[in-house]
Amino acid sequence: MMKRERLMKKTEPNCFGFACEEEKLKQREKSLTVGFDRSSEEEDKRRRTIGAYQSFGLAFGDLSISPLYVYKCAFYGGLRHYETEDTMFGAFSLIFWTITLLSLIKYMVFVLRADDNGEGGIFALYALLCRHTRFSLLLNQQAADEEISTYYGPGDANRSLPSSDFKRLIEHNKKFKTALLLLVLVGTSMVITIGVLTPAVSVSSSIDGLVANTNLKHSTVVMIACALLVGLFVLQHRGTNKVAFLFAPIMILWLFSIATVGLYNIFKWNPSVYKALSPYYIYKFFRDTGTEGWLSLGGILLCITGTEAIFAELGQFSAKSVRFAFCCVVYPCLVLQYMGQAAFLSKNFSALPTSFYSSIPDPFFWPVLMMAMLAAMVASQAVIFATFSIVKQCYALGCFPRVKIVHKPRWVLGQIYIPEINWLLMILTLTVTIGFRDTRHIAFAFGLACMSLAFVTTFLMPLIIKFVWNRHLVFAILFIILFGTIELVFVASSWTKIPHGGWITILLSLLFTFTTYVWHYGNRRKYLYDQHNKVPMNTILTRGPSLGIVKVPGIGLIYTELASGVPATFTHFLTNLPAFYQVVVFICSKTVPIPYIPQKERYLIGRVGPKTYRMYRCIIRTGYKDVNKDGDDFEDELVDSIAEFIQLEAEGSGSNRDRSVHDGRLAVVKTSNKFGTRLSRSRSDASLAGSSSSRSQTTVTNSKSPVLRRLKAEYEQELPKLSMRRRFQFRPMDTTFRQPQVKEELFDLVEAKDAEVAYIVGHGHVKAKRNSTYTKQLVIDVAYSFLRKNCRSPAVMLNIPHICLIKVGMNYYL
């Protein structure tokens, strides 16, 4: 026995043995892993805290200023005659449970999970449905789009699951698809309407305290509000990058201030108000007030206005940060403020018209008034930004007329400015502010718009639960029964406020919905016309490589909405002018229902016809939230992409080797490891000379007429961006090719690029068919034609310089 123990001691590894070294390495790896996990957790907490801090300035502004007008709107009408403590406690109980059920549970628990790669909003829900089902009515959708890395998120349902009979049934129902799109457009119109009403109600309510505590007339206060609103909209074009850091501190200070005032009122006026947290007081409220209590819900619902804006601004922050900020700061501060106002009003019923400012202690009135004005401006700015964003998304998906979208590099990421929408919002906001004059009427219209938008989201969420999350149909039904029933009661009550201001919401939403649907309908009919009249490939092949025309040096970029086939614009051009450029590229710029597409996966390159024809196709795919930068050199990227496609095609590199995604003869070439190394760039002689005049002379050497050469040189001098495009020349880096045809094709490409690049865009005249119904003729000949004539031209949206633009007239009979 002793021998065995000695033997075991001898064989036991010591600190100098190999086994001990292995054990030490394992312990070290374990400690490093634990340390890495701890550091990653700390980094995650730090990011979440920073995101939560920043979210106060954008996401919670609209919701945080609701205490300014909730009580005075709730007690508008016959309810003001019920001056009892139980009635006031019942109103607070309704407010508390409305915020808890709809803002906290519905949005924080469920809706924030329905993000589209981190983006929220009404179009994010629709884009999710379009990618997971065949509900989409969007144009130019291809199978290759599903191979984009961001097309499906990690939390999406398993795509290998077979489709249910219910899903196939509604996918083949065109009326359902149209109704779904129309519902989304109604929600979008409500967002734009909210963009009109929020600045009016926020700024007007924030300075209403001047009427109660000063000798100023109400008309003077309205003029002050209008001056603030004009300043807010006029400064939009400058961006918020210089003052955005102040938004979060302003809103945090505002929330803690109103929470402190609420606590003060609770302890001073009625500490027993905490009993109203019980839903029993809701029962007593409706028992005592009856119909008047139900009508007051049109004012109670104002406590959750701005909740939908939290979901819309989700792309700026993570869902964890938003939940953390709401649950830890916003929700308790709002509850304390509403509770404090209820305690004050239970003893001071006569102060209802100015309930918020009357409940503030006199020494703190002016500081709180100044903070309220600042908070109202921040909330208005956030809603205006959200309006720009939803209009941009709507335009990207083909449901809004062309507008100018401005984004400057120094601005906050994702921030845009749309001049047309900005001035339209300003005019409508001033009209509402001056026309109504009474804040309560504006608030009623505002509440109707917000609750209608929330109801649209509630209707879309069951579809997300069933088809995106792949949950059982029972969960979808339970969701819409629980939240849909509550919101339906509020919507029904808010509709009773139509005579008291709600009519402006109906009017504006109908106008915006009609505009968006007419634009979508007209674009879809025009696309189907192009699809039906595209040129057969046999017609091109029978013409031969020269196409039976005279070819001149240069590249002709033909813009079309078709992702396949040859557009009628091309043959129409050749019929009237039998000459064209030696290299032809059909450009299709389309939007995929994804928020953002990686830069490497945007260009889809292919060939049209045999190699000797020198005809290519380029499909440019962008997400509905992607912003085109003015500094992007599109021509250079296009030439690089075509050169890469030629090389990959010659080398026989398939999708496995270079990770290219093929759609017939199309390929994503930027994912190739060799992209950008096929051609070398060198400054042209004109650029090295440093003279603008010499640059101009170099770029126009192909113009035969001295007059044309001089005019073109003068025009390029007026357009510095155009001369920048011509500054570089391309040359193939590798001059040894296995196939001489590849060398010849590449040299033809770079020579064409150095010679000229022209943009050919169709300029269509749209008319309804003669046998069309009167309604269709009214929509196409009047409404759609009016929108086309009064919106931005395609050349402006595509940043095409006029010197390089060729318009081809086309007649469309839809």
Short mmCIF file of all heavy atoms in Angstrom, two decimals, residues 761-812:
data_model
loop_
_atom_site.label_atom_id
_atom_site.label_comp_id
_atom_site.label_asym_id
_atom_site.label_seq_id
_atom_site.Cartn_x
_atom_site.Cartn_y
_atom_site.Cartn_z
N VAL A 761 -32.15 59.30 -70.94
CA VAL A 761 -33.30 59.15 -70.04
C VAL A 761 -34.57 59.33 -70.85
O VAL A 761 -34.66 60.25 -71.69
CB VAL A 761 -33.25 60.17 -68.88
CG1 VAL A 761 -34.46 60.02 -67.98
CG2 VAL A 761 -31.97 60.00 -68.08
N GLY A 762 -35.55 58.48 -70.62
CA GLY A 762 -36.83 58.62 -71.30
C GLY A 762 -37.64 59.76 -70.74
O GLY A 762 -37.71 59.97 -69.52
N HIS A 763 -38.22 60.54 -71.63
CA HIS A 763 -39.08 61.66 -71.23
C HIS A 763 -40.49 61.35 -71.73
O HIS A 763 -40.83 61.59 -72.89
CB HIS A 763 -38.55 62.97 -71.83
CG HIS A 763 -39.32 64.18 -71.41
ND1 HIS A 763 -39.29 64.69 -70.13
CD2 HIS A 763 -40.16 64.99 -72.11
CE1 HIS A 763 -40.07 65.75 -70.06
NE2 HIS A 763 -40.62 65.95 -71.25
N GLY A 764 -41.30 60.76 -70.87
CA GLY A 764 -42.58 60.21 -71.30
C GLY A 764 -43.74 61.17 -71.18
O GLY A 764 -43.79 62.02 -70.27
N HIS A 765 -44.67 61.02 -72.09
CA HIS A 765 -45.94 61.72 -72.05
C HIS A 765 -47.02 60.67 -71.78
O HIS A 765 -47.22 59.76 -72.59
CB HIS A 765 -46.21 62.46 -73.36
CG HIS A 765 -47.53 63.17 -73.39
ND1 HIS A 765 -47.81 64.26 -72.59
CD2 HIS A 765 -48.66 62.94 -74.11
CE1 HIS A 765 -49.04 64.68 -72.82
NE2 HIS A 765 -49.58 63.90 -73.74
N VAL A 766 -47.68 60.79 -70.64
CA VAL A 766 -48.59 59.75 -70.18
C VAL A 766 -50.03 60.14 -70.48
O VAL A 766 -50.46 61.27 -70.20
CB VAL A 766 -48.41 59.51 -68.67
CG1 VAL A 766 -49.39 58.46 -68.17
CG2 VAL A 766 -46.98 59.07 -68.38
N LYS A 767 -50.76 59.20 -71.06
CA LYS A 767 -52.18 59.39 -71.34
C LYS A 767 -52.92 58.08 -71.07
O LYS A 767 -52.37 57.00 -71.24
CB LYS A 767 -52.41 59.78 -72.80
CG LYS A 767 -51.97 61.19 -73.15
CD LYS A 767 -52.94 62.24 -72.67
CE LYS A 767 -54.24 62.18 -73.45
NZ LYS A 767 -55.17 63.26 -73.04
N ALA A 768 -54.16 58.19 -70.63
CA ALA A 768 -54.98 57.00 -70.44
C ALA A 768 -55.51 56.53 -71.80
O ALA A 768 -55.68 57.32 -72.73
CB ALA A 768 -56.15 57.30 -69.51
N LYS A 769 -55.76 55.24 -71.92
CA LYS A 769 -56.30 54.71 -73.16
C LYS A 769 -57.69 55.29 -73.43
O LYS A 769 -58.41 55.70 -72.52
CB LYS A 769 -56.38 53.18 -73.08
CG LYS A 769 -55.02 52.51 -73.00
CD LYS A 769 -55.18 51.00 -72.90
CE LYS A 769 -53.83 50.32 -72.79
NZ LYS A 769 -53.97 48.83 -72.67
N ARG A 770 -58.05 55.28 -74.69
CA ARG A 770 -59.33 55.88 -75.06
C ARG A 770 -60.51 55.13 -74.47
O ARG A 770 -61.53 55.73 -74.14
CB ARG A 770 -59.45 55.93 -76.58
CG ARG A 770 -58.46 56.89 -77.24
CD ARG A 770 -58.69 56.94 -78.74
NE ARG A 770 -57.74 57.89 -79.37
CZ ARG A 770 -57.70 58.12 -80.68
NH1 ARG A 770 -58.54 57.47 -81.50
NH2 ARG A 770 -56.84 58.99 -81.17
N ASN A 771 -60.38 53.83 -74.37
CA ASN A 771 -61.50 53.03 -73.84
C ASN A 771 -61.46 52.89 -72.32
O ASN A 771 -62.17 52.06 -71.76
CB ASN A 771 -61.50 51.65 -74.48
CG ASN A 771 -60.18 50.91 -74.24
OD1 ASN A 771 -59.22 51.50 -73.77
ND2 ASN A 771 -60.17 49.62 -74.55
N SER A 772 -60.64 53.69 -71.63
CA SER A 772 -60.54 53.62 -70.17
C SER A 772 -61.79 54.21 -69.54
O SER A 772 -62.50 55.03 -70.14
CB SER A 772 -59.31 54.37 -69.68
OG SER A 772 -58.13 53.84 -70.22
N THR A 773 -62.04 53.81 -68.31
CA THR A 773 -63.17 54.35 -67.56
C THR A 773 -62.91 55.82 -67.23
O THR A 773 -61.77 56.31 -67.28
CB THR A 773 -63.40 53.56 -66.28
OG1 THR A 773 -62.23 53.67 -65.45
CG2 THR A 773 -63.66 52.08 -66.59
N TYR A 774 -63.97 56.50 -66.86
CA TYR A 774 -63.85 57.93 -66.53
C TYR A 774 -62.95 58.12 -65.30
O TYR A 774 -62.15 59.06 -65.25
CB TYR A 774 -65.24 58.51 -66.26
CG TYR A 774 -65.20 59.96 -65.84
CD1 TYR A 774 -64.96 60.98 -66.77
CD2 TYR A 774 -65.38 60.32 -64.50
CE1 TYR A 774 -64.91 62.31 -66.39
CE2 TYR A 774 -65.34 61.64 -64.11
CZ TYR A 774 -65.10 62.64 -65.06
OH TYR A 774 -65.04 63.95 -64.67
N THR A 775 -63.06 57.20 -64.33
CA THR A 775 -62.23 57.31 -63.12
C THR A 775 -60.75 57.17 -63.47
O THR A 775 -59.90 57.92 -62.99
CB THR A 775 -62.63 56.25 -62.10
OG1 THR A 775 -64.02 56.38 -61.80
CG2 THR A 775 -61.83 56.38 -60.83
N LYS A 776 -60.43 56.19 -64.32
CA LYS A 776 -59.03 55.98 -64.71
C LYS A 776 -58.51 57.17 -65.49
O LYS A 776 -57.35 57.59 -65.30
CB LYS A 776 -58.91 54.70 -65.53
CG LYS A 776 -57.48 54.35 -65.88
CD LYS A 776 -57.39 53.04 -66.62
CE LYS A 776 -55.95 52.71 -66.98
NZ LYS A 776 -55.85 51.42 -67.72
N GLN A 777 -59.31 57.73 -66.38
CA GLN A 777 -58.89 58.91 -67.13
C GLN A 777 -58.63 60.08 -66.19
O GLN A 777 -57.66 60.84 -66.37
CB GLN A 777 -59.95 59.29 -68.16
CG GLN A 777 -60.08 58.30 -69.31
CD GLN A 777 -61.14 58.73 -70.31
OE1 GLN A 777 -61.67 59.83 -70.22
NE2 GLN A 777 -61.46 57.86 -71.25
N LEU A 778 -59.45 60.22 -65.17
CA LEU A 778 -59.27 61.30 -64.20
C LEU A 778 -57.98 61.10 -63.42
O LEU A 778 -57.23 62.06 -63.18
CB LEU A 778 -60.47 61.36 -63.26
CG LEU A 778 -60.50 62.50 -62.24
CD1 LEU A 778 -60.62 63.84 -62.95
CD2 LEU A 778 -61.65 62.31 -61.26
N VAL A 779 -57.71 59.86 -63.03
CA VAL A 779 -56.51 59.56 -62.24
C VAL A 779 -55.25 59.75 -63.08
O VAL A 779 -54.28 60.40 -62.63
CB VAL A 779 -56.58 58.13 -61.67
CG1 VAL A 779 -55.24 57.72 -61.08
CG2 VAL A 779 -57.67 58.02 -60.62
N ILE A 780 -55.23 59.20 -64.30
CA ILE A 780 -54.02 59.24 -65.12
C ILE A 780 -53.83 60.61 -65.78
O ILE A 780 -52.75 61.22 -65.69
CB ILE A 780 -54.06 58.14 -66.20
CG1 ILE A 780 -54.08 56.76 -65.54
CG2 ILE A 780 -52.87 58.26 -67.14
CD1 ILE A 780 -52.86 56.42 -64.75
N ASP A 781 -54.86 61.10 -66.46
CA ASP A 781 -54.72 62.33 -67.25
C ASP A 781 -54.64 63.59 -66.40
O ASP A 781 -54.05 64.58 -66.83
CB ASP A 781 -55.89 62.46 -68.23
CG ASP A 781 -55.89 61.36 -69.27
OD1 ASP A 781 -54.85 60.70 -69.41
OD2 ASP A 781 -56.94 61.13 -69.92
N VAL A 782 -55.24 63.55 -65.22
CA VAL A 782 -55.28 64.76 -64.39
C VAL A 782 -54.32 64.64 -63.20
O VAL A 782 -53.34 65.38 -63.10
CB VAL A 782 -56.72 65.05 -63.91
CG1 VAL A 782 -56.73 66.30 -63.04
CG2 VAL A 782 -57.66 65.22 -65.10
N ALA A 783 -54.62 63.68 -62.30
CA ALA A 783 -53.86 63.60 -61.05
C ALA A 783 -52.41 63.17 -61.29
O ALA A 783 -51.47 63.86 -60.87
CB ALA A 783 -54.56 62.64 -60.09
N TYR A 784 -52.22 62.04 -61.95
CA TYR A 784 -50.86 61.53 -62.15
C TYR A 784 -50.03 62.46 -63.04
O TYR A 784 -48.85 62.72 -62.76
CB TYR A 784 -50.92 60.13 -62.75
CG TYR A 784 -49.58 59.47 -62.93
CD1 TYR A 784 -48.75 59.21 -61.84
CD2 TYR A 784 -49.12 59.11 -64.19
CE1 TYR A 784 -47.52 58.61 -62.00
CE2 TYR A 784 -47.89 58.51 -64.37
CZ TYR A 784 -47.09 58.25 -63.27
OH TYR A 784 -45.86 57.65 -63.44
N SER A 785 -50.64 62.97 -64.08
CA SER A 785 -49.92 63.90 -64.96
C SER A 785 -49.54 65.18 -64.22
O SER A 785 -48.44 65.73 -64.42
CB SER A 785 -50.77 64.23 -66.18
OG SER A 785 -51.03 63.08 -66.95
N PHE A 786 -50.43 65.66 -63.37
CA PHE A 786 -50.11 66.86 -62.58
C PHE A 786 -48.92 66.61 -61.66
O PHE A 786 -48.03 67.47 -61.53
CB PHE A 786 -51.34 67.26 -61.76
CG PHE A 786 -51.09 68.40 -60.80
CD1 PHE A 786 -51.08 69.71 -61.25
CD2 PHE A 786 -50.84 68.16 -59.46
CE1 PHE A 786 -50.84 70.76 -60.37
CE2 PHE A 786 -50.61 69.19 -58.57
CZ PHE A 786 -50.60 70.49 -59.03
N LEU A 787 -48.89 65.45 -61.00
CA LEU A 787 -47.78 65.13 -60.11
C LEU A 787 -46.47 65.01 -60.89
O LEU A 787 -45.41 65.46 -60.42
CB LEU A 787 -48.07 63.84 -59.35
CG LEU A 787 -49.22 63.88 -58.34
CD1 LEU A 787 -49.47 62.51 -57.75
CD2 LEU A 787 -48.93 64.88 -57.22
N ARG A 788 -46.51 64.40 -62.07
CA ARG A 788 -45.29 64.24 -62.87
C ARG A 788 -44.74 65.58 -63.34
O ARG A 788 -43.52 65.78 -63.38
CB ARG A 788 -45.58 63.36 -64.09
CG ARG A 788 -45.63 61.87 -63.80
CD ARG A 788 -46.06 61.09 -65.02
NE ARG A 788 -45.21 61.35 -66.17
CZ ARG A 788 -44.07 60.73 -66.44
NH1 ARG A 788 -43.65 59.77 -65.61
NH2 ARG A 788 -43.35 61.03 -67.50
N LYS A 789 -45.62 66.50 -63.67
CA LYS A 789 -45.17 67.80 -64.16
C LYS A 789 -44.64 68.70 -63.05
O LYS A 789 -43.85 69.61 -63.32
CB LYS A 789 -46.32 68.52 -64.88
CG LYS A 789 -46.74 67.86 -66.19
CD LYS A 789 -47.95 68.56 -66.80
CE LYS A 789 -48.40 67.88 -68.08
NZ LYS A 789 -49.62 68.52 -68.65
N ASN A 790 -45.05 68.46 -61.83
CA ASN A 790 -44.70 69.37 -60.73
C ASN A 790 -43.74 68.74 -59.71
O ASN A 790 -43.59 69.27 -58.61
CB ASN A 790 -45.97 69.83 -60.01
CG ASN A 790 -46.82 70.74 -60.86
OD1 ASN A 790 -46.59 71.94 -60.95
ND2 ASN A 790 -47.81 70.17 -61.54
N CYS A 791 -43.12 67.63 -60.06
CA CYS A 791 -42.11 67.05 -59.17
C CYS A 791 -40.74 67.15 -59.84
O CYS A 791 -40.61 67.62 -60.97
CB CYS A 791 -42.45 65.59 -58.85
SG CYS A 791 -42.33 64.47 -60.26
N ARG A 792 -39.72 66.74 -59.15
CA ARG A 792 -38.36 66.79 -59.68
C ARG A 792 -38.22 65.84 -60.87
O ARG A 792 -38.84 64.77 -60.91
CB ARG A 792 -37.36 66.40 -58.60
CG ARG A 792 -37.40 67.30 -57.38
CD ARG A 792 -36.53 68.52 -57.56
NE ARG A 792 -36.55 69.37 -56.38
CZ ARG A 792 -35.77 70.42 -56.20
NH1 ARG A 792 -34.91 70.77 -57.14
NH2 ARG A 792 -35.85 71.15 -55.11
N SER A 793 -37.38 66.21 -61.81
CA SER A 793 -37.15 65.35 -62.98
C SER A 793 -36.23 64.19 -62.60
O SER A 793 -35.45 64.29 -61.64
CB SER A 793 -36.51 66.16 -64.11
OG SER A 793 -35.22 66.58 -63.74
N PRO A 794 -36.29 63.08 -63.33
CA PRO A 794 -35.40 61.94 -63.03
C PRO A 794 -33.92 62.32 -63.10
O PRO A 794 -33.12 61.79 -62.34
CB PRO A 794 -35.78 60.91 -64.10
CG PRO A 794 -37.16 61.27 -64.52
CD PRO A 794 -37.25 62.76 -64.41
N ALA A 795 -33.56 63.22 -64.02
CA ALA A 795 -32.16 63.61 -64.14
C ALA A 795 -31.64 64.28 -62.87
O ALA A 795 -30.50 64.08 -62.46
CB ALA A 795 -31.99 64.55 -65.34
N VAL A 796 -32.49 65.07 -62.23
CA VAL A 796 -32.09 65.74 -60.99
C VAL A 796 -31.91 64.70 -59.88
O VAL A 796 -30.95 64.76 -59.10
CB VAL A 796 -33.13 66.79 -60.58
CG1 VAL A 796 -32.81 67.38 -59.22
CG2 VAL A 796 -33.20 67.88 -61.63
N MET A 797 -32.82 63.74 -59.79
CA MET A 797 -32.72 62.72 -58.76
C MET A 797 -31.49 61.84 -58.93
O MET A 797 -30.92 61.34 -57.96
CB MET A 797 -33.98 61.85 -58.77
CG MET A 797 -35.27 62.61 -58.56
SD MET A 797 -35.28 63.59 -57.05
CE MET A 797 -35.07 62.30 -55.83
N LEU A 798 -31.06 61.64 -60.20
CA LEU A 798 -29.91 60.79 -60.48
C LEU A 798 -28.60 61.56 -60.55
O LEU A 798 -27.56 60.98 -60.87
CB LEU A 798 -30.14 60.06 -61.81
CG LEU A 798 -31.34 59.10 -61.84
CD1 LEU A 798 -31.63 58.65 -63.26
CD2 LEU A 798 -31.08 57.90 -60.95
N ASN A 799 -28.64 62.87 -60.26
CA ASN A 799 -27.45 63.73 -60.28
C ASN A 799 -26.75 63.69 -61.64
O ASN A 799 -25.53 63.61 -61.73
CB ASN A 799 -26.46 63.31 -59.18
CG ASN A 799 -27.02 63.52 -57.80
OD1 ASN A 799 -27.69 64.52 -57.55
ND2 ASN A 799 -26.76 62.59 -56.91
N ILE A 800 -27.54 63.75 -62.71
CA ILE A 800 -26.98 63.72 -64.06
C ILE A 800 -26.70 65.15 -64.51
O ILE A 800 -27.60 65.99 -64.50
CB ILE A 800 -27.96 63.05 -65.04
CG1 ILE A 800 -28.20 61.60 -64.64
CG2 ILE A 800 -27.43 63.12 -66.47
CD1 ILE A 800 -29.23 60.89 -65.48
N PRO A 801 -25.47 65.47 -64.93
CA PRO A 801 -25.19 66.82 -65.43
C PRO A 801 -25.89 67.06 -66.76
O PRO A 801 -25.97 66.17 -67.61
CB PRO A 801 -23.66 66.83 -65.59
CG PRO A 801 -23.27 65.39 -65.68
CD PRO A 801 -24.26 64.62 -64.88
N HIS A 802 -26.39 68.25 -66.96
CA HIS A 802 -27.17 68.56 -68.17
C HIS A 802 -26.34 68.43 -69.44
O HIS A 802 -26.89 68.11 -70.51
CB HIS A 802 -27.76 69.97 -68.07
CG HIS A 802 -28.85 70.09 -67.07
ND1 HIS A 802 -30.12 69.60 -67.29
CD2 HIS A 802 -28.88 70.63 -65.81
CE1 HIS A 802 -30.88 69.83 -66.23
NE2 HIS A 802 -30.16 70.45 -65.31
N ILE A 803 -25.05 68.69 -69.36
CA ILE A 803 -24.21 68.62 -70.56
C ILE A 803 -24.13 67.20 -71.10
O ILE A 803 -23.88 66.97 -72.28
CB ILE A 803 -22.80 69.16 -70.24
CG1 ILE A 803 -21.97 69.32 -71.51
CG2 ILE A 803 -22.10 68.26 -69.25
CD1 ILE A 803 -22.49 70.31 -72.46
N CYS A 804 -24.37 66.20 -70.23
CA CYS A 804 -24.26 64.80 -70.63
C CYS A 804 -25.63 64.14 -70.82
O CYS A 804 -25.69 62.93 -71.03
CB CYS A 804 -23.49 64.01 -69.58
SG CYS A 804 -21.85 64.66 -69.22
N LEU A 805 -26.69 64.91 -70.72
CA LEU A 805 -28.04 64.34 -70.71
C LEU A 805 -28.67 64.38 -72.09
O LEU A 805 -28.61 65.38 -72.79
CB LEU A 805 -28.92 65.12 -69.72
CG LEU A 805 -30.39 64.70 -69.62
CD1 LEU A 805 -30.51 63.27 -69.11
CD2 LEU A 805 -31.15 65.66 -68.72
N ILE A 806 -29.28 63.24 -72.46
CA ILE A 806 -30.07 63.14 -73.69
C ILE A 806 -31.44 62.59 -73.31
O ILE A 806 -31.54 61.54 -72.69
CB ILE A 806 -29.41 62.21 -74.72
CG1 ILE A 806 -28.01 62.70 -75.09
CG2 ILE A 806 -30.28 62.07 -75.97
CD1 ILE A 806 -27.25 61.75 -76.00
N LYS A 807 -32.49 63.33 -73.65
CA LYS A 807 -33.86 62.91 -73.35
C LYS A 807 -34.50 62.33 -74.61
O LYS A 807 -34.39 62.91 -75.69
CB LYS A 807 -34.69 64.07 -72.81
CG LYS A 807 -34.28 64.55 -71.44
CD LYS A 807 -35.22 65.63 -70.93
CE LYS A 807 -34.83 66.07 -69.53
NZ LYS A 807 -35.77 67.10 -68.99
N VAL A 808 -35.18 61.22 -74.42
CA VAL A 808 -35.86 60.56 -75.53
C VAL A 808 -37.36 60.61 -75.26
O VAL A 808 -37.84 60.08 -74.25
CB VAL A 808 -35.39 59.10 -75.68
CG1 VAL A 808 -36.10 58.42 -76.85
CG2 VAL A 808 -33.88 59.04 -75.87
N GLY A 809 -38.10 61.25 -76.14
CA GLY A 809 -39.53 61.37 -75.95
C GLY A 809 -40.25 60.05 -76.19
O GLY A 809 -39.96 59.32 -77.14
N MET A 810 -41.20 59.75 -75.29
CA MET A 810 -41.98 58.51 -75.39
C MET A 810 -43.42 58.82 -75.06
O MET A 810 -43.71 59.67 -74.20
CB MET A 810 -41.44 57.45 -74.43
CG MET A 810 -40.06 56.92 -74.78
SD MET A 810 -40.09 55.82 -76.20
CE MET A 810 -41.04 54.46 -75.54
N ASN A 811 -44.34 58.14 -75.71
CA ASN A 811 -45.76 58.24 -75.39
C ASN A 811 -46.21 56.96 -74.70
O ASN A 811 -45.93 55.85 -75.18
CB ASN A 811 -46.59 58.45 -76.66
CG ASN A 811 -46.39 59.83 -77.26
OD1 ASN A 811 -46.23 60.81 -76.52
ND2 ASN A 811 -46.39 59.93 -78.57
N TYR A 812 -46.87 57.13 -73.56
CA TYR A 812 -47.38 55.99 -72.79
C TYR A 812 -48.90 56.06 -72.76
O TYR A 812 -49.48 57.06 -72.32
CB TYR A 812 -46.84 56.04 -71.36
CG TYR A 812 -45.37 55.75 -71.24
CD1 TYR A 812 -44.43 56.78 -71.33
CD2 TYR A 812 -44.90 54.46 -71.04
CE1 TYR A 812 -43.07 56.52 -71.22
CE2 TYR A 812 -43.55 54.20 -70.93
CZ TYR A 812 -42.64 55.23 -71.03
OH TYR A 812 -41.29 54.97 -70.92
#
